[in-house]
Amino acid sequence: MTETAINLSQEDPNLSLGEQITALVADLYYPSESDEKIEFLDAPFAIEGTPDVASLKMFLGIPPEVTTSEWDVETFFKPLLKKEDWFGVEELGWLKSAEDLHALLTANLTDIKIYRIGSIEIDVYLLGKPTEGNCVGVKTKVIET
């Protein structure tokens, strides 16, 4: 786990929301058939609230016919927050980062939506609206064969 993520547990008020999210996802991977990196997403959506799936596809240049579905926040975080008996220090650090990320996002974003775009190799976007500025969140990929 990075030093920044460790220090974040004390919630540094000098860091922006984006910096806090970036620090928490520095060592996080989303578990699926292929564990994929979770990344901060500063979405350039100058709209009120979070975009609907059609708007998101338009912003990202994804054809309308591409398969989409939605998850709720708890479904997205369920595999990240699952504690296993075999977890060592490193895995417990990842779990702590995931718990902190869940708390940070749910406390600081409204209108959170999770979109799954594609099939088999699925792009996942968690987006929400902070009190100021454009949508932010995280993105990752899940593999489901």
Side-chain angles (χ1 to χ4, degrees), residues 42-142:
D42 187 5
F45 309 132
I47 60 174
E48 196 159 320
T50 53
D52 60 24
V53 72
S55 297
L56 180 64
K57 284 180 170 181
M58 183 188 71
F59 284 125
L60 298 173
I62 297 168
E65 64 274 4
V66 172
T67 303
T68 59
S69 61
E70 292 186 36
W71 273 346
D72 60 43
V73 174
E74 300 314 313
T75 301
F76 176 85
F77 276 99
K78 186 176 181 178
L80 287 168
L81 300 176
K82 185 177 181 183
K83 184 178 179 182
E84 301 288 351
D85 294 337
W86 54 267
F87 277 9
V89 173
E90 187 174 29
E91 291 83 7
L92 290 172
W94 297 334
L95 179 61
K96 174 71 170 124
S97 291
E99 290 169 342
D100 290 348
L101 178 65
H102 179 265
L104 180 71
L105 295 177
T106 56
N108 289 282
L109 299 178
T110 59
D111 198 22
I112 295 174
K113 294 183 181 173
I114 295 101
Y115 298 110
R116 295 167 35 99
I117 300 176
S119 58
I120 301 175
E121 291 188 21
I122 304 163
D123 293 315
V124 180
Y125 297 88
L126 181 153
L127 297 169
K129 188 74 173 159
T131 54
E132 295 179 5
N134 295 332
C135 292
V136 298
V138 295
K139 65 179 181 175
T140 191
K141 183 181 292 283
V142 295

Side-chain angles (χ1 to χ4, degrees), residues 22-58:
T22 299
L24 288 171
V25 300
D27 295 324
L28 279 182
Y29 290 82
Y30 198 86
S32 72
E33 289 183 35
S34 169
D35 296 346
E36 298 289 335
K37 184 82 178 106
I38 299 174
E39 300 174 5
F40 169 65
L41 177 62
D42 187 5
F45 309 132
I47 60 174
E48 196 159 320
T50 53
D52 60 24
V53 72
S55 297
L56 180 64
K57 284 180 170 181
M58 183 188 71

